[in-house]
Amino acid sequence: MSSGNSTSTETHTNLYGYTPTRSVCFIFVILYALSTLLHLWQSTRSKAWWLLPTVALAGIAEVIGWGARAKSSYDPDARMPYIIQTSILVLAPTPFVAALFIGFGRISERLGSEYSRLRPKLYSRIFLTGDLLSLLIQGGGGGIAASSLNDPSKVALGSHVILVGLIVQIISMTVFCYMMAEYAFRRFTDRPFRKPEMASYAEAAVPVMSARTMDRSMKLLITGICVSTALIYIRSVYRIIEFSNGYSGSISHTQVLFNVFDGMMVTLAMYTLNAMHPGLLLRATAGVSAYAMAERSQTSFDRRTSPTVEVLQHHIRK
């Protein structure tokens, strides 16, 4: 793998500051293509159509972006492949992040929305709005920089605009991570924000095996969302540092950093959701009627065995 060092002559003609390593580029193209095809099949099989314009779209964008880098490995001075990979790879994970927001909203709905500060549908509305805003800002910055590669001031402006978009995205993800942690704490300690809806009582009244522990599918689903979020968060931090340093900075001109903290992080996130696919796991948990992160308190147990619940249970059994 190239170390990312460049000669003084190459610096004036090669915007990368190095020649992209061909084998690495093709490895990422293949990995992203395989993951994307698998996501398409998994999403179709589970009828989780919301994963197509999110995770699958992110995978397609990564294939195009790394394909452009592979093209640059033959001619690193060519402008068009550089513009394509710069514009697309900075934007590609954005729809993937949208899937994480939607996925957690559905998890909170299954496990009990009363423990969440937000209603499940608000996760999509609020965080997707932030994600879309980030996408538009980054896209605008990429357009400014790509249209004026020979004008250092315009390139710098585009880089700063992209940086703003990345900061918007990481602020949104930080708040999202806090919401997830808060939800886990409140569910674990049984401290709901509000009373559970009637549907929750009905679900609690249905006898299930080990009703106070999460089933394996739900545990895998939560693990997949958390691990993928952490990986994309690391990638976003790297990108913020990279753009803060500028297009011509030492970080942007060090290939190994890009391969590890962008290419590898997003690849691992994609395959994490392949292994713990939200669509398949949500479908697997559809028949499970009660979950818990820990043993509930006696008060919580009494609430679930109240006369109201017993009446509902009686009707369900009939």
Side-chain angles (χ1 to χ4, degrees):
M1 186 180 294
S2 173
S3 64
N5 295 327
S6 59
T7 64
S8 59
T9 302
E10 187 181 28
T11 301
H12 294 294
T13 59
N14 180 353
L15 293 172
Y16 288 99
Y18 56 84
T19 299
T21 303
R22 190 172 305 160
S23 59
V24 171
C25 294
F26 279 113
I27 286 172
F28 277 121
V29 168
I30 293 170
L31 288 175
Y32 280 120
L34 291 175
S35 177
T36 302
L37 289 173
L38 185 54
H39 272 295
L40 289 170
W41 178 76
Q42 290 174 312
S43 301
T44 303
R45 182 186 175 192
S46 60
K47 297 183 179 179
W49 309 118
W50 56 276
L51 289 168
L52 297 181
T54 54
V55 177
L57 178 60
I60 292 171
E62 291 287 349
V63 170
I64 295 172
W66 281 94
R69 284 180 68 86
K71 175 68 174 175
S72 291
S73 69
Y74 293 94
D75 182 7
D77 297 340
R79 289 294 187 263
M80 188 52 65
Y82 177 82
I83 292 172
I84 292 173
Q85 69 89 31
T86 299
S87 302
I88 290 183
L89 291 182
V90 73
L91 298 173
T94 304
F96 186 94
V97 173
L100 300 177
F101 295 156
I102 297 171
F104 181 71
R106 301 200 175 192
I107 288 173
S108 68
E109 191 173 26
R110 288 283 172 88
L111 290 177
S113 60
E114 64 268 22
Y115 297 96
S116 175
R117 186 178 293 271
L118 300 176
R119 299 285 182 181
K121 290 183 179 179
L122 287 179
Y123 281 100
S124 298
R125 294 174 184 174
I126 293 175
F127 289 110
L128 287 182
T129 299
D131 207 37
L132 179 60
L133 178 61
S134 168
L135 179 66
L136 293 174
I137 295 173
Q138 291 179 63
I144 293 172
S147 64
S148 308
L149 290 176
N150 295 321
D151 185 343
S153 63
K154 289 288 185 66
V155 171
L157 175 61
S159 178
H160 292 152
V161 173
I162 292 174
L163 179 60
V164 171
L166 288 168
I167 291 173
V168 169
Q169 184 179 69
I170 205 164
I171 289 174
S172 180
M173 289 187 69
T174 300
V175 175
F176 173 67
C177 290
Y178 170 79
M179 292 286 191
M180 285 200 300
E182 182 183 50
Y183 181 89
F185 172 76
R186 286 185 171 274
R187 186 112 169 77
F188 185 84
T189 58
D190 195 24
R191 298 181 182 181
F193 275 106
R194 52 192 170 272
K195 292 181 179 180
E197 299 174 0
M198 183 60 68
S200 297
Y201 285 110
E203 289 175 355
V206 178
V208 292
M209 183 174 64
S210 189
R212 292 190 178 83
T213 57
M214 288 188 295
D215 70 315
R216 181 174 179 273
S217 294
M218 183 56 75
K219 290 177 181 177
L220 287 174
L221 178 57
I222 293 172
T223 300
I225 294 292
C226 290
V227 171
S228 296
T229 300
L231 291 167
I232 297 299
Y233 197 95
I234 292 171
R235 177 264 178 190
S236 297
V237 170
Y238 159 72
R239 284 300 230 170
I240 287 175
I241 296 172
E242 177 193 20
F243 280 97
S244 297
N245 192 236
Y247 273 114
S248 59
S250 60
I251 296 176
S252 294
H253 285 184
T254 304
Q255 181 179 198
V256 66
L257 292 178
F258 186 84
N259 290 343
V260 172
F261 291 107
D262 189 286
M264 186 179 296
M265 292 299 106
V266 182
T267 300
L268 291 174
M270 290 280 292
Y271 278 95
T272 295
L273 288 195
N274 280 131
M276 292 167 269
H277 194 265
L280 295 174
L281 293 174
L282 281 169
R283 187 176 182 182
T285 62
V288 180
S289 53
Y291 299 96
M293 281 185 153
E295 286 295 319
R296 298 302 186 87
S297 64
Q298 185 63 41
T299 301
S300 179
F301 179 75
D302 290 341
R303 184 184 65 193
R304 284 165 172 73
T305 56
S306 66
T308 303
V309 174
E310 291 178 358
V311 170
L312 288 170
Q313 186 176 19
H314 173 72
H315 285 295
I316 291 171
R317 287 175 175 173
K318 288 177 66 177

